[in-house]
Amino acid sequence: MSHDDFPTDRPAVVTCGLPYATGDLHVGHLRTYISGDVLSRALDTLGQNNAFVSGTDMHGTPVAVQAAKEGVDPETYALRLHEKYADTFPEFGIEFDNYSHTHDETNAELTREFVRAWIDNDHVYEKEIEVAWDPEVDEPLPDRFVEGTCPYCGEKARGDECDEGCQRHLEPGEIEDPTSTLTGNPAEYRTRSHKFLRLNDFKEYLGEFLDRLEGTSNARNQPREWVEGELQDLCITRDMDWGIDYPGESEEDLVLYVWVDAPIEYVASTKQYSERVGSDEYDWERAWKEDGEIVHIIGRDIIQHHTVFWPAMLRGAGYNEPRAVMASGFVNLNGKAFSTSRNRAIWADDYLEEGFHPDLLRYYLVTAGGFQQDVDFAWDRFQERVNGELVGTVGNFWYRSLLFAYRNYEGTPDAELSTEVRDRIEDAIAEFREGLNDYSLRETGAAATRLARFGNEYIQRNEPWKLEAESDEARQVIRDCVQIAKAVGVLIEPIAPGKAQALWDQLAEDGSVHDARLEAALAAPPRKFDEPDELFEKIEDDRVAELEAKLEERVASFDDGESSEDAEEGDGETGEAGGDADLEPLLADRIGFEEFQDLDIRVGRIEVAEGIEGADDLARLEVDVGLERRQVVAGIKQLHDLSELPGEKCILLANMEPAELFGVESNGMILAAGDEADLLTTHGDAEPGERIR
RNA sequence: UGCGGGAUAGGAUAAUGGCAGUCCACGGGGCUCAUAUCCCCGAGAUCCAGGUUCGACUCCUGGUCCCGCAACCA
């Protein structure tokens, strides 16, 4: 790698974080892949030798679990998704030079080479650890599949971290009352021997690496804490069948951790590309082992993997290091996070089925905000950007210029490019180049739209429609405008490759705009071309209303009436997170006093609280309501420390119909507020049995 | 009680400590080759509380809110 401005005379690699084979792609995922594609195309435009690669991440427990659920083997399952992804990307103009998957032999072989190199360089050691195990399915449980009680603060916690309580990191085996989230059964611990990559060998190196890393600032800063403190060595093996076998001495049932073979796929995929086109055209070994410019494009949730584990892995095997990591923000929907489980998302297929050109989404996602910022997707904002910038500014300028040129000159009029316009295009080229070297993709787009805006201003200022068509002055103005139109096409090609090619065709340019370099922006357009068409279409208001309604309907049907707030416009409300769910609207239907009187609400005291075996959320409570002791089932197992509840006062709806849940009879309903089930109680000294009115 | 990122007008984005600028949207006026553009005018902003300073969006202290943080997570 180097710190020279692009283009350099070294091979570059642009990678995108691997999509994980467990679900469909939505526009949030697409942001990463579109950004990678834009960067790669922009580097092409600069004349940088580069490869754009990625692949599907096929290994790991979740794939195996998901496959088992569907009754197929993991490979079949993962390959099906792999093919789906491989088909989807080109539909958005995302054209990898190579797109493979981690189960491919190239990757398996290369991964084993990496691991052997670590072993040879003495970076790997073996240690016995306690592994959580689900006795029913006889599978080891990765940390995330274990829940229990934090030994420090007593809160409910995940296997690896007390995520809701004291935030402490938990070592395997520390958590109390471990249960499997797969089956709800108590988890066992078994002693297993595992392999570790000694990250501490690279501690000093990683600090220096972060100092020179380019890309987004979050990628440089976030891992600092780890690198400066005590690094936990990385456990690189798992007790599983599905994955790449650990290559050392015969450890039959150990496979490599997915985060080992996943990033190596970047290298494997590049190697495949190189082998396909020949090393004269692209030299993967130079790129990865010597001085290539490696740029990783990822979501900001996997920064650590790319700035700590991965550079250590490369270093340990004697490879080159990344030059830049660009960690993007997320995409929100109407101001709130996507929720795939509630179908609150715009799926890749949905977008295409609506008939929108992929370039519109590409433009929106790349220019809607800073790269490390979260961007909001909303159909009305999408409409605003498309109509204002692509239709109004770029499309309108392209069409009016080419139409005027066609009508009066049947192509580009015979005149020299004016100095003013030449200078302005050169400025735009410089802005594009500087933007790219700042890793600001939106700036490359802004350079193009600003130039189109200048074009509109230029044609307006010179009013060629008021001039004699055959006059030198009119020829000059239109020649300039056609040149600007062409230059905008060259500069916007990375973001809108389809539309840029359409313009190229209208200009009767030979070849592909994708091969055009920056110099093409100043090269004369063809003398003759045909009547142009409008390249961007307006999105009408009723179309937007329809799209919004469709989305609301879908989300609402998933919500099952439990929280209808999602069906509302997200007007002005800031995003929510944590326990503060958006408030449900107050009910408009009023009830009479008599109806209220029908509710027999009592003060109670919890005497017994225990989880119901086999149920995720349910707890069995015995509540003293003065006159008698009631057994009640409440969905609070996950939300409260049951051992602390006895003795607490609560509020009970006593005349609730009896119900049987998980074989346990429930005779009443404990009142609690919100998603976190904040239990209602009394402020004063009301005794169990007292009525609430 | 931790770490990182963020908070500037309705939205998006700028400002070595020195006139808070730009784009979209909004109100008013003009121009018209084009799917309407461009020009002119107008309204509108630095998360809060202190401090340093001649001067603070910027630096310092304290706080609030949002997002993420060794999982399958873009």
Side-chain angles (χ1 to χ4, degrees):
Chain A
M1 60 152 268
S2 74
H3 292 287
D4 299 338
D5 277 355
F6 294 108
T8 70
D9 54 11
R10 289 167 280 267
V13 190
V14 176
T15 76
C16 289
L18 311 187
Y20 194 67
T22 48
D24 290 334
L25 298 170
H26 56 62
V27 301
H29 300 109
L30 288 175
R31 184 178 186 192
T32 301
Y33 305 104
I34 287 171
S35 298
D37 186 71
V38 171
L39 180 73
S40 162
R41 289 177 186 273
L43 288 171
D44 287 343
T45 303
L46 249 53
Q48 172 79 43
N49 179 230
N50 91 90
F52 177 44
V53 299
S54 190
T56 305
D57 187 359
M58 308 239 294
H59 296 138
T61 315
V63 169
V65 168
Q66 199 64 35
K69 265 188 206 162
E70 300 197 9
V72 293
D73 63 283
E75 183 168 358
T76 307
Y77 173 82
L79 273 177
R80 198 168 66 210
L81 281 159
H82 168 69
E83 275 155 29
K84 171 83 176 142
Y85 298 160
D87 289 344
T88 301
F89 291 133
E91 296 190 278
F92 285 89
I94 300 161
E95 291 180 359
F96 291 107
D97 289 316
N98 196 75
Y99 186 82
S100 183
H101 61 78
T102 56
H103 199 61
D104 187 285
E105 188 48 38
T106 310
N107 187 51
E109 195 178 306
L110 205 51
T111 299
R112 287 191 289 264
E113 276 176 38
F114 264 79
V115 177
R116 282 193 207 100
W118 301 336
I119 296 168
D120 292 346
N121 295 329
D122 196 24
H123 295 305
V124 176
Y125 64 94
E126 184 173 292
K127 192 171 79 173
E128 297 213 321
I129 56 167
E130 298 276 294
V131 176
W133 210 273
D134 187 313
E136 183 182 312
V137 293
D138 195 30
E139 290 279 348
L141 293 164
D143 296 332
R144 183 55 194 268
F145 290 95
V146 179
E147 285 180 355
T149 308
C150 173
Y152 301 102
C153 69
E155 285 292 318
K156 172 191 152 243
R158 297 200 310 238
D160 56 341
E161 188 191 0
C162 181
D163 55 334
E164 292 182 8
C166 62
Q167 306 289 317
R168 236 178 285 241
H169 170 81
L170 302 177
E171 286 294 319
E174 269 194 310
I175 195 160
E176 292 172 354
D177 309 321
T179 57
S180 162
T181 61
L182 293 182
T183 60
N185 291 331
E188 299 173 357
Y189 280 94
R190 300 188 184 176
T191 303
R192 308 284 297 178
S193 194
H194 277 279
K195 309 293 181 182
F196 286 78
L197 178 64
R198 203 182 294 104
L199 289 183
N200 281 296
D201 290 353
F202 306 99
K203 193 170 142 77
E204 198 180 329
Y205 163 74
L206 287 170
E208 296 160 5
F209 163 74
L210 289 176
D211 287 341
R212 57 182 172 257
L213 182 67
E214 298 181 0
T216 51
S217 60
N218 52 358
R220 240 183 335 274
N221 295 329
Q222 194 184 311
R224 273 244 149 70
E225 178 201 8
W226 290 11
V227 170
E228 284 163 12
E230 179 75 9
L231 269 174
Q232 248 185 70
D233 292 333
L234 183 67
C235 181
I236 56 171
T237 48
R238 290 294 185 271
D239 287 293
M240 283 189 75
D241 299 327
W242 176 234
I244 295 174
D245 292 336
Y246 180 79
E249 66 279 19
S250 61
E251 296 283 348
E252 283 178 21
D253 43 1
L254 284 185
V255 297
L256 289 160
Y257 177 39
V258 279
W259 273 108
V260 173
D261 62 86
I264 292 172
E265 169 64 16
Y266 297 146
V267 186
S269 197
T270 315
K271 182 181 179 189
Q272 289 175 333
Y273 173 61
S274 217
E275 286 171 349
R276 199 174 68 237
V277 299
S279 57
D280 287 346
E281 185 167 332
Y282 192 87
D283 183 349
W284 76 276
E285 289 193 276
R286 179 169 178 198
W288 282 101
K289 296 181 177 177
E290 294 169 37
D291 59 1
E293 319 281 13
I294 301 163
V295 181
H296 295 301
I297 305 210
I298 58 172
R300 67 164 131 122
D301 49 343
I302 48 173
I303 288 175
Q304 272 82 352
H305 303 88
H306 287 78
T307 54
V308 181
F309 306 159
W310 178 230
M313 288 164 61
L314 287 166
R315 179 83 171 175
Y319 275 63
N320 185 18
E321 70 185 26
R323 168 170 170 163
V325 171
M326 295 177 63
S328 82
F330 293 106
V331 179
N332 291 323
L333 185 54
N334 292 325
K336 289 192 278 186
F338 275 45
S339 169
T340 52
S341 59
R342 298 171 85 191
N343 208 8
R344 196 190 137 72
I346 308 275
W347 301 97
D349 290 342
D350 293 344
Y351 178 86
L352 293 171
E353 278 164 20
E354 295 296 345
F356 292 116
H357 194 280
D359 288 1
L360 308 186
L361 182 68
R362 292 171 65 100
Y363 181 79
Y364 183 88
L365 289 179
V366 169
T367 61
F371 193 79
Q372 42 175 321
Q373 249 54 56
D374 289 354
V375 307
D376 193 30
F377 187 91
W379 286 112
D380 56 346
R381 310 183 75 187
F382 179 72
Q383 175 200 31
E384 197 176 290
R385 305 289 310 283
V386 168
N387 290 358
E389 295 166 41
L390 293 179
V391 178
T393 303
V394 176
N396 181 52
F397 177 69
W398 278 352
Y399 184 59
R400 76 197 294 203
S401 300
L402 268 62
L403 186 63
F404 203 101
Y406 167 75
R407 281 184 183 159
N408 293 285
Y409 313 102
E410 294 179 315
T412 312
D414 206 9
E416 283 297 305
L417 188 59
S418 73
T419 312
E420 181 193 357
V421 168
R422 173 175 293 277
D423 288 350
R424 183 61 188 80
I425 293 174
E426 280 172 354
D427 287 348
I429 290 171
E431 289 164 8
F432 178 94
R433 184 187 282 120
E434 284 160 20
L436 186 56
N437 273 295
D438 285 341
Y439 300 95
S440 173
L441 301 177
R442 77 196 300 250
E443 180 56 25
T444 67
T449 46
R450 274 196 300 263
L451 182 60
R453 192 171 294 125
F454 167 81
N456 275 319
E457 189 192 323
Y458 184 78
I459 195 169
Q460 182 77 21
R461 169 154 46 94
N462 289 290
E463 300 185 307
W465 47 90
K466 288 190 176 169
L467 302 171
E468 200 60 47
E470 290 312 313
S471 68
D472 287 349
E473 215 184 337
R475 288 173 177 279
Q476 174 73 69
V477 172
I478 295 306
R479 165 65 213 277
D480 285 345
C481 287
V482 175
Q483 188 74 54
I484 294 167
K486 179 178 172 181
V488 169
V490 171
L491 297 182
I492 211 167
E493 183 274 337
I495 292 175
K499 296 296 183 180
Q501 184 60 48
L503 175 83
W504 215 243
D505 295 339
Q506 289 189 5
L507 282 170
E509 288 281 354
D510 289 335
S512 164
V513 69
H514 312 310
D515 301 327
R517 302 282 171 82
L518 284 175
E519 303 83 72
L522 287 162
R527 175 66 191 83
K528 294 278 178 201
F529 54 78
D530 293 333
E531 183 168 357
D533 283 322
E534 295 150 345
L535 288 176
F536 292 99
E537 202 177 322
K538 259 196 166 169
I539 302 171
E540 301 298 337
D541 290 347
D542 51 1
R543 185 92 173 87
V544 171
E546 182 193 312
L547 289 161
E548 285 175 342
K550 209 182 270 187
L551 180 64
E552 282 171 18
E553 201 176 299
R554 200 177 62 189
V555 173
S557 72
F558 233 83
D559 279 354
D560 205 20
E562 123 201 326
S563 54
S564 54
E565 81 276 11
D566 277 337
E568 292 175 32
E569 286 292 313
D571 51 339
E573 291 171 16
T574 48
E576 53 88 12
D580 288 332
D582 281 356
L583 297 174
E584 295 179 37
L586 297 171
L587 294 180
D589 284 342
R590 301 298 180 114
I591 63 168
F593 183 68
E594 284 179 16
E595 287 168 87
F596 171 71
Q597 287 285 34
D598 290 344
L599 303 175
D600 188 3
I601 310 176
R602 303 290 182 131
V603 175
R605 187 192 295 114
I606 298 172
E607 302 291 343
V608 174
E610 58 188 24
I612 293 174
E613 205 170 322
D616 287 341
D617 299 312
L618 300 178
R620 189 183 75 84
L621 307 179
E622 287 182 35
V623 180
D624 178 2
V625 287
L627 304 162
E628 58 179 279
R629 187 186 270 215
R630 284 288 185 87
Q631 173 171 289
V632 174
V633 175
I636 58 170
K637 185 174 171 184
Q638 306 280 359
L639 302 166
H640 293 273
D641 183 351
L642 298 179
S643 67
E644 283 182 9
L645 290 179
E648 290 288 339
K649 276 194 290 187
C650 65
I651 304 300
L652 182 82
L653 177 57
N655 62 336
M656 190 81 188
E657 277 183 8
E660 191 175 292
L661 301 160
F662 266 76
V664 180
E665 188 180 321
S666 183
N667 245 310
M669 185 167 165
I670 296 287
L671 302 187
D675 293 339
E676 299 297 316
D678 188 353
L679 289 178
L680 266 60
T681 184
T682 65
H683 264 299
D685 49 14
E687 286 295 322
E690 290 200 54
R691 183 132 187 222
I692 291 169
R693 50 172 76 92

